[in-house]
Amino acid sequence: MAALMAAPAAAQTNDNPPVSIGDPVASAKLADESDQDAAGGPIVVTGTRIVRPNNRSAAPIVTTTAAEIAAQGATTIEEVTNRLPQVQVNSEQNFSDSEGRQRIKLRSLGYERTLMLIDGLRIGLPNSVDVGIIPNALVDRIDVLTGGASSVYGSDAVAGVVNFVMKKNFTGIRIDGNYSFFNHNNRSSAVTDAAERAGFNAPLGMKNDGGRADVSIAAGTNLFDGRVNISAFADYRQSSLVRLRDRANATCEVVTSSRTSPLACSRATFTPAGTIIPQSGASAGQVLVNNPNGNGTFIPINSGGPGSSANPYDDWAFQRPFHRVNAGGFLTAQLDDHIELYSNVLWYRDKSYNTQLNRTFNFGAYGTTPFQVNCDNPFLSASQAQTLCGPNAGLAGQYAPIDVRYRFDSQPLVRQEYINAGYRIVAGLRGRVLDNAWSYDVAGMLSRAQLDTIDLPRARYASINRSLDVVNVNGRPTCRSVVNGTDPACVPFNAFAPFNNDSALNNYLFGGATGGIAKRIPRLMQFLGTVSGDLGKYGITSPFAEQGIAIAIGAEYRDEMDRTDYNEVFRQNNSSGANVRATQNILEGNIEIQAPLVERQSWTHLLQLNGGYRLSKYNRLDDKFGTWKIEGIWAPVEDITFRASINKSQAAPGVGAAANASNIFWNQGFYADPCAPQINASNPNGPRVAPSWTPQQCANTGLPTNLYNSATLICPNDACTVREGGFALRPETAYGKTFGVVLRPRFVPGLTVSVDRWLIDLEDQLEFFNPLDWLNGCLTTGNDYYCRGIKRNADGTLSSSPTTSPATGWVSRGSTNGYKSKSHGWDFQGQYNVGLGGVGSLDMSFNGTLMTLVGSQGAPTITPRDCTGYFGSGCGESMPTWAHQFRTTWMAPSRIVSVSLNWRHRSGMPMTAYAPASTGIPALPEADKRDAYPGIKAYDWFDLALTFDINKRMTFRLAANNIFDRDPPIVPDSRSRIGLLRGNTIMGYDLLGRQLVAGVSLRL
């Protein structure tokens, strides 16, 4: 693996022997890396603060090496961690419905329960972390520790820990570059058939797109006879746009209306021909479009030629464009034999955007007052004036209320932008004292980020109205506001002719308009001191052990701040946006102990007990709380090691969640009343259809049965009212247990295998509930735990004015304490390094996870649900039952050339609508089943990487990921059922096809 390892290395090699990093499989994987411990500094051991050279972990650690990162040719860290079967896959850097931050979610237990570290210190404020601050080329390895670790690291380490161990203390100059793109064959499918029926064009044939670049330079030098090392780096990453319509399977968002209906494309109400919805008269409420043939008539939407129907998401991003710059530096200085100063700085700035259509907004985006068109408008034909104005057609001084939804396809796309920037500064002192019996480490860390979300610019409401009020001046249509001097710049808007391409009008409507800006500023200060001692120096050693008892004592203080600011434009556009600032501080103390009881005896090779305890005090909580761990390792013989751990972890409400829970406000736009008449997805213009829920289920939500399916329940624009916040929060508690065995048979040199059972049981879980979570839970169970979040008005509606702080007429949204969640499974790891004599060597690495339970129980009276292997309503994306990756690398005898093949697998996943009652997954209506798409079949991908050294200073790499170009699965209704991106699939599958990568490393 050495040639692969050389690719991203930022350090020169040395001959230091491998040192255990805790897990035998992980240590074996690193044993053949030629620049292991290249910096010559202390080895970071994930999961403990105790410093000793042969630490052993009682919990499994999965390690991803720099060699594996290089073989993948990844541009972002997120791409690397997404391949681990322990991670619930996401793609926040790329897909269109995210902020661009990269986070990691272990074991399907949520981002906020995965603690992310850099060299054992927190990256930043929990749930605001962006691991994109870490450049790939500077990563030595990534450790994933299974289960809780709160007694070592504090709150949030419930599902586990992801520790990024960085390369430091290197010398020389190194330049690394990668370029990749997607080489995908767009094939015919049920999605392209649906697009053809809708009149949308679908791409077919081979396509090369989605280019990504990653270029980094690192330089370092030793000073003062090697006692001081200074190094610095800069990294630039860039990704090109891939639109949804660039993939055949995402040409349009496909929906279905019944279990047997064919796929249908979602249709937009904004059309290039121009959508007009009268608000009065005989045609009130009808969704009409200008006839694309230009004859001056209205026709029903989706009933005419091209332009009368439109794809709402064709220009949305499947891969978002982004530009990211990282920079930083490292300093170590040996001040004397007992004091080493160390410091590092990481800085990043990322800008990404979502492309969206250039269009006017409907009047509902501004309030409740419709747009007005004058009935003698010269742009109106006689037929159109009659439809809009009735008997007032052609009369001066008369106006008709309308909604205008015009899509300007000839104009540049607009962008929703995200700018994420931040820095992280660490400084500390460490060393050994008292004849090297004790080591100490005192460090401070400051992390600050700024996350700017810049909304789409909106055409001004007054400008739209003025541009629709047009009179004839000497045969020339002219804005009335120009005639009377109210607005001399007004440009008349011919909204009654198809395909308006007037750039002057577009500039007038949007000229000077900016999107609202929401600015979030999370900050974390962490101060940590640890003293670790080997009591064996004082004779405190078991009579059957060689090593003494080791302890670590630590204290930690954290200060958290989360601030959100909104500019005036945001407040105007959203009718809300009060600035929020919340703070929280934490004081903690902890102790750890490692006690080798038996070592190298004829009757037991190793018996060791570990323990730890941490006491935490949050200023926002009334009481302190404690977390602990108890671990054991027993090797009856050298070949077999049994290990077990049990720990109690707790996670207090984050500073933002705690503040949001106490700040109550109301808004709209998240959901439609499920008990009201529903829009027919296959015929949006037609009559509404009855709810899929029964009258009895709707009665669970407080709806009188006589109002079931009543049109009076329809919220304006199907956007019912939401109450944000309002629930008191308390810490959640998790009990994590692992039991495993490690096999290192001496009769098979180079083989290390581990099998571990892990169980994470979470109580009082902190979770975020959207309106549909309350509604679906209440509809299906009738349990008050869910129904308490729904407050209907006396007339049964779920719509109230957000400005009145209503007591009823809403569904809740926000953080609350749940009841229980569980995540259970098995981890399988293997590493086999074998020499092949004159034909080189072979390294094989295996990492697999078998999920046996992942689910929750909402309340004591509710049946626990087991979502293992299922996806859909009630379970979200969940996790496959089985997933693995198996990499085999052949190395030439001279180590100049290596070839690596990786096999990735995910087992099949049925939809929750097909789950048996034994799973406890709430039963869904029969209409939710999809006979042609009952789930996702098992998937396999194969990746190939080639690395060769051109000379001692240059390494070249080629890679092909998903070499057989497997399409992702088609999942109809994925957005409405799971809330995912509009690409007709779910995360966890290679969404864009085959990826080709080329890279080079130069060592100067």
mmCIF file of all heavy atoms in Angstrom, residues 813-849:
data_model
loop_
_atom_site.group_PDB
_atom_site.id
_atom_site.type_symbol
_atom_site.label_atom_id
_atom_site.label_comp_id
_atom_site.label_asym_id
_atom_site.label_seq_id
_atom_site.Cartn_x
_atom_site.Cartn_y
_atom_site.Cartn_z
ATOM 1 N N ARG A 813 -43.493 22.363 15.341
ATOM 2 C CA ARG A 813 -42.221 22.028 14.690
ATOM 3 C C ARG A 813 -41.108 22.433 15.644
ATOM 4 O O ARG A 813 -41.115 23.535 16.185
ATOM 5 C CB ARG A 813 -42.072 22.755 13.361
ATOM 6 C CG ARG A 813 -40.777 22.448 12.614
ATOM 7 C CD ARG A 813 -40.793 23.157 11.247
ATOM 8 N NE ARG A 813 -39.647 22.813 10.422
ATOM 9 C CZ ARG A 813 -38.514 23.509 10.380
ATOM 10 N NH1 ARG A 813 -38.378 24.605 11.128
ATOM 11 N NH2 ARG A 813 -37.522 23.136 9.597
ATOM 12 N N GLY A 814 -40.143 21.544 15.860
ATOM 13 C CA GLY A 814 -39.024 21.905 16.713
ATOM 14 C C GLY A 814 -38.487 20.721 17.486
ATOM 15 O O GLY A 814 -38.896 19.570 17.293
ATOM 16 N N SER A 815 -37.551 20.998 18.392
ATOM 17 C CA SER A 815 -36.886 19.959 19.177
ATOM 18 C C SER A 815 -37.723 19.604 20.392
ATOM 19 O O SER A 815 -38.328 20.469 21.036
ATOM 20 C CB SER A 815 -35.504 20.435 19.623
ATOM 21 O OG SER A 815 -34.664 20.656 18.511
ATOM 22 N N THR A 816 -37.728 18.332 20.714
ATOM 23 C CA THR A 816 -38.421 17.832 21.893
ATOM 24 C C THR A 816 -37.738 16.548 22.342
ATOM 25 O O THR A 816 -36.937 15.969 21.608
ATOM 26 C CB THR A 816 -39.915 17.575 21.584
ATOM 27 O OG1 THR A 816 -40.590 17.176 22.782
ATOM 28 C CG2 THR A 816 -40.077 16.484 20.551
ATOM 29 N N ASN A 817 -38.025 16.112 23.563
ATOM 30 C CA ASN A 817 -37.526 14.826 24.040
ATOM 31 C C ASN A 817 -38.483 13.721 23.619
ATOM 32 O O ASN A 817 -39.691 13.816 23.861
ATOM 33 C CB ASN A 817 -37.389 14.812 25.562
ATOM 34 C CG ASN A 817 -36.138 15.519 26.041
ATOM 35 O OD1 ASN A 817 -36.196 16.687 26.396
ATOM 36 N ND2 ASN A 817 -35.015 14.818 26.027
ATOM 37 N N GLY A 818 -37.947 12.697 22.999
ATOM 38 C CA GLY A 818 -38.738 11.544 22.640
ATOM 39 C C GLY A 818 -38.653 10.490 23.738
ATOM 40 O O GLY A 818 -38.316 10.778 24.888
ATOM 41 N N TYR A 819 -38.923 9.267 23.347
ATOM 42 C CA TYR A 819 -38.933 8.187 24.330
ATOM 43 C C TYR A 819 -37.661 7.343 24.190
ATOM 44 O O TYR A 819 -36.718 7.505 24.940
ATOM 45 C CB TYR A 819 -40.204 7.352 24.170
ATOM 46 C CG TYR A 819 -40.366 6.271 25.212
ATOM 47 C CD1 TYR A 819 -40.330 6.577 26.566
ATOM 48 C CD2 TYR A 819 -40.570 4.950 24.839
ATOM 49 C CE1 TYR A 819 -40.483 5.588 27.532
ATOM 50 C CE2 TYR A 819 -40.742 3.948 25.795
ATOM 51 C CZ TYR A 819 -40.689 4.279 27.140
ATOM 52 O OH TYR A 819 -40.849 3.306 28.085
ATOM 53 N N LYS A 820 -37.597 6.481 23.175
ATOM 54 C CA LYS A 820 -36.450 5.597 23.032
ATOM 55 C C LYS A 820 -36.072 5.409 21.572
ATOM 56 O O LYS A 820 -36.920 5.468 20.680
ATOM 57 C CB LYS A 820 -36.739 4.214 23.635
ATOM 58 C CG LYS A 820 -36.868 4.176 25.141
ATOM 59 C CD LYS A 820 -37.092 2.751 25.630
ATOM 60 C CE LYS A 820 -37.174 2.694 27.147
ATOM 61 N NZ LYS A 820 -37.386 1.313 27.643
ATOM 62 N N SER A 821 -34.797 5.187 21.345
ATOM 63 C CA SER A 821 -34.288 4.750 20.039
ATOM 64 C C SER A 821 -33.241 3.677 20.282
ATOM 65 O O SER A 821 -32.566 3.669 21.322
ATOM 66 C CB SER A 821 -33.672 5.911 19.248
ATOM 67 O OG SER A 821 -34.651 6.688 18.628
ATOM 68 N N LYS A 822 -33.104 2.800 19.319
ATOM 69 C CA LYS A 822 -32.107 1.735 19.428
ATOM 70 C C LYS A 822 -31.384 1.585 18.093
ATOM 71 O O LYS A 822 -31.977 1.749 17.031
ATOM 72 C CB LYS A 822 -32.772 0.407 19.799
ATOM 73 C CG LYS A 822 -33.428 0.377 21.178
ATOM 74 C CD LYS A 822 -34.087 -0.969 21.447
ATOM 75 C CE LYS A 822 -34.801 -0.973 22.786
ATOM 76 N NZ LYS A 822 -33.864 -0.906 23.925
ATOM 77 N N SER A 823 -30.124 1.265 18.194
ATOM 78 C CA SER A 823 -29.318 0.942 17.018
ATOM 79 C C SER A 823 -28.401 -0.214 17.409
ATOM 80 O O SER A 823 -27.503 -0.051 18.252
ATOM 81 C CB SER A 823 -28.508 2.152 16.558
ATOM 82 O OG SER A 823 -27.842 1.889 15.349
ATOM 83 N N HIS A 824 -28.663 -1.392 16.826
ATOM 84 C CA HIS A 824 -27.912 -2.605 17.158
ATOM 85 C C HIS A 824 -27.337 -3.217 15.885
ATOM 86 O O HIS A 824 -27.939 -3.107 14.816
ATOM 87 C CB HIS A 824 -28.818 -3.646 17.823
ATOM 88 C CG HIS A 824 -29.394 -3.227 19.131
ATOM 89 N ND1 HIS A 824 -30.307 -3.996 19.824
ATOM 90 C CD2 HIS A 824 -29.188 -2.122 19.899
ATOM 91 C CE1 HIS A 824 -30.645 -3.384 20.940
ATOM 92 N NE2 HIS A 824 -29.983 -2.245 21.008
ATOM 93 N N GLY A 825 -26.221 -3.871 16.021
ATOM 94 C CA GLY A 825 -25.675 -4.550 14.858
ATOM 95 C C GLY A 825 -24.355 -5.236 15.148
ATOM 96 O O GLY A 825 -23.906 -5.339 16.300
ATOM 97 N N TRP A 826 -23.751 -5.723 14.078
ATOM 98 C CA TRP A 826 -22.458 -6.401 14.123
ATOM 99 C C TRP A 826 -21.507 -5.699 13.164
ATOM 100 O O TRP A 826 -21.888 -5.335 12.050
ATOM 101 C CB TRP A 826 -22.588 -7.863 13.683
ATOM 102 C CG TRP A 826 -23.394 -8.741 14.593
ATOM 103 C CD1 TRP A 826 -24.750 -8.884 14.615
ATOM 104 C CD2 TRP A 826 -22.876 -9.606 15.606
ATOM 105 N NE1 TRP A 826 -25.125 -9.784 15.573
ATOM 106 C CE2 TRP A 826 -23.994 -10.252 16.201
ATOM 107 C CE3 TRP A 826 -21.598 -9.915 16.063
ATOM 108 C CZ2 TRP A 826 -23.858 -11.173 17.230
ATOM 109 C CZ3 TRP A 826 -21.468 -10.838 17.095
ATOM 110 C CH2 TRP A 826 -22.578 -11.457 17.662
ATOM 111 N N ASP A 827 -20.270 -5.530 13.596
ATOM 112 C CA ASP A 827 -19.204 -5.038 12.722
ATOM 113 C C ASP A 827 -18.227 -6.172 12.453
ATOM 114 O O ASP A 827 -17.831 -6.904 13.371
ATOM 115 C CB ASP A 827 -18.445 -3.874 13.363
ATOM 116 C CG ASP A 827 -19.136 -2.540 13.138
ATOM 117 O OD1 ASP A 827 -19.988 -2.469 12.237
ATOM 118 O OD2 ASP A 827 -18.826 -1.587 13.873
ATOM 119 N N PHE A 828 -17.826 -6.286 11.191
ATOM 120 C CA PHE A 828 -16.861 -7.296 10.774
ATOM 121 C C PHE A 828 -15.702 -6.579 10.091
ATOM 122 O O PHE A 828 -15.904 -5.827 9.134
ATOM 123 C CB PHE A 828 -17.497 -8.290 9.790
ATOM 124 C CG PHE A 828 -18.675 -9.037 10.359
ATOM 125 C CD1 PHE A 828 -19.949 -8.474 10.346
ATOM 126 C CD2 PHE A 828 -18.524 -10.308 10.894
ATOM 127 C CE1 PHE A 828 -21.035 -9.156 10.860
ATOM 128 C CE2 PHE A 828 -19.605 -10.997 11.412
ATOM 129 C CZ PHE A 828 -20.867 -10.424 11.399
ATOM 130 N N GLN A 829 -14.499 -6.822 10.608
ATOM 131 C CA GLN A 829 -13.313 -6.228 9.997
ATOM 132 C C GLN A 829 -12.273 -7.313 9.744
ATOM 133 O O GLN A 829 -12.194 -8.290 10.492
ATOM 134 C CB GLN A 829 -12.697 -5.164 10.903
ATOM 135 C CG GLN A 829 -13.494 -3.892 11.055
ATOM 136 C CD GLN A 829 -12.636 -2.809 11.680
ATOM 137 O OE1 GLN A 829 -11.775 -2.215 11.033
ATOM 138 N NE2 GLN A 829 -12.846 -2.568 12.964
ATOM 139 N N GLY A 830 -11.509 -7.095 8.708
ATOM 140 C CA GLY A 830 -10.426 -8.016 8.415
ATOM 141 C C GLY A 830 -9.304 -7.323 7.679
ATOM 142 O O GLY A 830 -9.543 -6.410 6.877
ATOM 143 N N GLN A 831 -8.073 -7.741 7.950
ATOM 144 C CA GLN A 831 -6.904 -7.222 7.251
ATOM 145 C C GLN A 831 -5.961 -8.397 7.007
ATOM 146 O O GLN A 831 -5.649 -9.162 7.925
ATOM 147 C CB GLN A 831 -6.198 -6.150 8.092
ATOM 148 C CG GLN A 831 -4.981 -5.532 7.410
ATOM 149 C CD GLN A 831 -5.351 -4.665 6.225
ATOM 150 O OE1 GLN A 831 -6.435 -4.098 6.190
ATOM 151 N NE2 GLN A 831 -4.454 -4.577 5.248
ATOM 152 N N TYR A 832 -5.526 -8.545 5.758
ATOM 153 C CA TYR A 832 -4.627 -9.640 5.414
ATOM 154 C C TYR A 832 -3.529 -9.091 4.521
ATOM 155 O O TYR A 832 -3.784 -8.619 3.403
ATOM 156 C CB TYR A 832 -5.395 -10.751 4.699
ATOM 157 C CG TYR A 832 -4.572 -12.001 4.425
ATOM 158 C CD1 TYR A 832 -3.638 -12.472 5.337
ATOM 159 C CD2 TYR A 832 -4.761 -12.715 3.246
ATOM 160 C CE1 TYR A 832 -2.906 -13.614 5.089
ATOM 161 C CE2 TYR A 832 -4.030 -13.868 2.982
ATOM 162 C CZ TYR A 832 -3.099 -14.319 3.911
ATOM 163 O OH TYR A 832 -2.369 -15.467 3.653
ATOM 164 N N ASN A 833 -2.315 -9.131 5.021
ATOM 165 C CA ASN A 833 -1.146 -8.687 4.281
ATOM 166 C C ASN A 833 -0.283 -9.918 4.003
ATOM 167 O O ASN A 833 0.171 -10.579 4.930
ATOM 168 C CB ASN A 833 -0.334 -7.668 5.098
ATOM 169 C CG ASN A 833 -1.179 -6.505 5.578
ATOM 170 O OD1 ASN A 833 -2.063 -6.043 4.872
ATOM 171 N ND2 ASN A 833 -0.912 -6.032 6.791
ATOM 172 N N VAL A 834 -0.081 -10.220 2.732
ATOM 173 C CA VAL A 834 0.638 -11.430 2.389
ATOM 174 C C VAL A 834 1.644 -11.140 1.279
ATOM 175 O O VAL A 834 1.344 -10.431 0.309
ATOM 176 C CB VAL A 834 -0.347 -12.550 1.956
ATOM 177 C CG1 VAL A 834 -1.202 -12.116 0.784
ATOM 178 C CG2 VAL A 834 0.391 -13.841 1.653
ATOM 179 N N GLY A 835 2.833 -11.665 1.437
ATOM 180 C CA GLY A 835 3.837 -11.535 0.404
ATOM 181 C C GLY A 835 3.668 -12.596 -0.670
ATOM 182 O O GLY A 835 3.301 -13.740 -0.378
ATOM 183 N N LEU A 836 3.924 -12.205 -1.919
ATOM 184 C CA LEU A 836 3.796 -13.120 -3.050
ATOM 185 C C LEU A 836 5.145 -13.421 -3.683
ATOM 186 O O LEU A 836 5.228 -13.798 -4.856
ATOM 187 C CB LEU A 836 2.844 -12.519 -4.101
ATOM 188 C CG LEU A 836 1.423 -12.192 -3.617
ATOM 189 C CD1 LEU A 836 0.620 -11.547 -4.740
ATOM 190 C CD2 LEU A 836 0.721 -13.453 -3.106
ATOM 191 N N GLY A 837 6.181 -13.251 -2.900
ATOM 192 C CA GLY A 837 7.513 -13.553 -3.405
ATOM 193 C C GLY A 837 7.917 -12.616 -4.530
ATOM 194 O O GLY A 837 7.828 -11.387 -4.411
ATOM 195 N N GLY A 838 8.312 -13.208 -5.651
ATOM 196 C CA GLY A 838 8.818 -12.413 -6.762
ATOM 197 C C GLY A 838 7.772 -11.621 -7.502
ATOM 198 O O GLY A 838 8.121 -10.825 -8.385
ATOM 199 N N VAL A 839 6.477 -11.802 -7.192
ATOM 200 C CA VAL A 839 5.443 -11.054 -7.917
ATOM 201 C C VAL A 839 4.825 -9.966 -7.048
ATOM 202 O O VAL A 839 3.799 -9.390 -7.411
ATOM 203 C CB VAL A 839 4.342 -12.001 -8.438
ATOM 204 C CG1 VAL A 839 4.892 -12.953 -9.466
ATOM 205 C CG2 VAL A 839 3.686 -12.762 -7.278
ATOM 206 N N GLY A 840 5.437 -9.660 -5.907
ATOM 207 C CA GLY A 840 4.975 -8.533 -5.125
ATOM 208 C C GLY A 840 4.277 -8.942 -3.846
ATOM 209 O O GLY A 840 4.643 -9.926 -3.194
ATOM 210 N N SER A 841 3.249 -8.201 -3.475
ATOM 211 C CA SER A 841 2.501 -8.462 -2.243
ATOM 212 C C SER A 841 1.030 -8.128 -2.461
ATOM 213 O O SER A 841 0.661 -7.411 -3.398
ATOM 214 C CB SER A 841 3.060 -7.628 -1.082
ATOM 215 O OG SER A 841 2.910 -6.247 -1.354
ATOM 216 N N LEU A 842 0.219 -8.664 -1.561
ATOM 217 C CA LEU A 842 -1.222 -8.474 -1.657
ATOM 218 C C LEU A 842 -1.736 -8.029 -0.293
ATOM 219 O O LEU A 842 -1.434 -8.651 0.731
ATOM 220 C CB LEU A 842 -1.898 -9.787 -2.067
ATOM 221 C CG LEU A 842 -3.282 -9.705 -2.695
ATOM 222 C CD1 LEU A 842 -3.238 -8.954 -4.014
ATOM 223 C CD2 LEU A 842 -3.828 -11.113 -2.913
ATOM 224 N N ASP A 843 -2.497 -6.943 -0.291
ATOM 225 C CA ASP A 843 -3.138 -6.449 0.925
ATOM 226 C C ASP A 843 -4.644 -6.484 0.718
ATOM 227 O O ASP A 843 -5.151 -5.964 -0.281
ATOM 228 C CB ASP A 843 -2.715 -5.008 1.233
ATOM 229 C CG ASP A 843 -1.232 -4.894 1.519
ATOM 230 O OD1 ASP A 843 -0.629 -5.907 1.885
ATOM 231 O OD2 ASP A 843 -0.693 -3.787 1.360
ATOM 232 N N MET A 844 -5.349 -7.084 1.662
ATOM 233 C CA MET A 844 -6.805 -7.155 1.593
ATOM 234 C C MET A 844 -7.397 -6.570 2.862
ATOM 235 O O MET A 844 -6.948 -6.904 3.967
ATOM 236 C CB MET A 844 -7.269 -8.604 1.382
ATOM 237 C CG MET A 844 -6.940 -9.146 0.003
ATOM 238 S SD MET A 844 -7.437 -10.871 -0.223
ATOM 239 C CE MET A 844 -6.092 -11.678 0.632
ATOM 240 N N SER A 845 -8.383 -5.703 2.684
ATOM 241 C CA SER A 845 -9.015 -5.033 3.812
ATOM 242 C C SER A 845 -10.522 -5.131 3.661
ATOM 243 O O SER A 845 -11.063 -4.816 2.595
ATOM 244 C CB SER A 845 -8.580 -3.560 3.863
ATOM 245 O OG SER A 845 -9.219 -2.881 4.916
ATOM 246 N N PHE A 846 -11.188 -5.557 4.742
ATOM 247 C CA PHE A 846 -12.644 -5.752 4.698
ATOM 248 C C PHE A 846 -13.284 -4.996 5.844
ATOM 249 O O PHE A 846 -12.785 -4.992 6.968
ATOM 250 C CB PHE A 846 -12.981 -7.244 4.810
ATOM 251 C CG PHE A 846 -14.465 -7.536 4.748
ATOM 252 C CD1 PHE A 846 -15.114 -7.662 3.534
ATOM 253 C CD2 PHE A 846 -15.200 -7.673 5.917
ATOM 254 C CE1 PHE A 846 -16.476 -7.921 3.481
ATOM 255 C CE2 PHE A 846 -16.559 -7.932 5.872
ATOM 256 C CZ PHE A 846 -17.199 -8.058 4.650
ATOM 257 N N ASN A 847 -14.414 -4.350 5.569
ATOM 258 C CA ASN A 847 -15.184 -3.634 6.583
ATOM 259 C C ASN A 847 -16.659 -3.810 6.263
ATOM 260 O O ASN A 847 -17.136 -3.346 5.220
ATOM 261 C CB ASN A 847 -14.803 -2.145 6.589
ATOM 262 C CG ASN A 847 -15.619 -1.336 7.589
ATOM 263 O OD1 ASN A 847 -16.216 -1.884 8.511
ATOM 264 N ND2 ASN A 847 -15.657 -0.027 7.385
ATOM 265 N N GLY A 848 -17.393 -4.490 7.133
ATOM 266 C CA GLY A 848 -18.808 -4.734 6.890
ATOM 267 C C GLY A 848 -19.627 -4.525 8.144
ATOM 268 O O GLY A 848 -19.141 -4.709 9.268
ATOM 269 N N THR A 849 -20.882 -4.153 7.951
ATOM 270 C CA THR A 849 -21.801 -3.944 9.071
ATOM 271 C C THR A 849 -23.115 -4.655 8.791
ATOM 272 O O THR A 849 -23.712 -4.487 7.726
ATOM 273 C CB THR A 849 -22.073 -2.448 9.292
ATOM 274 O OG1 THR A 849 -20.882 -1.815 9.769
ATOM 275 C CG2 THR A 849 -23.169 -2.235 10.322
#
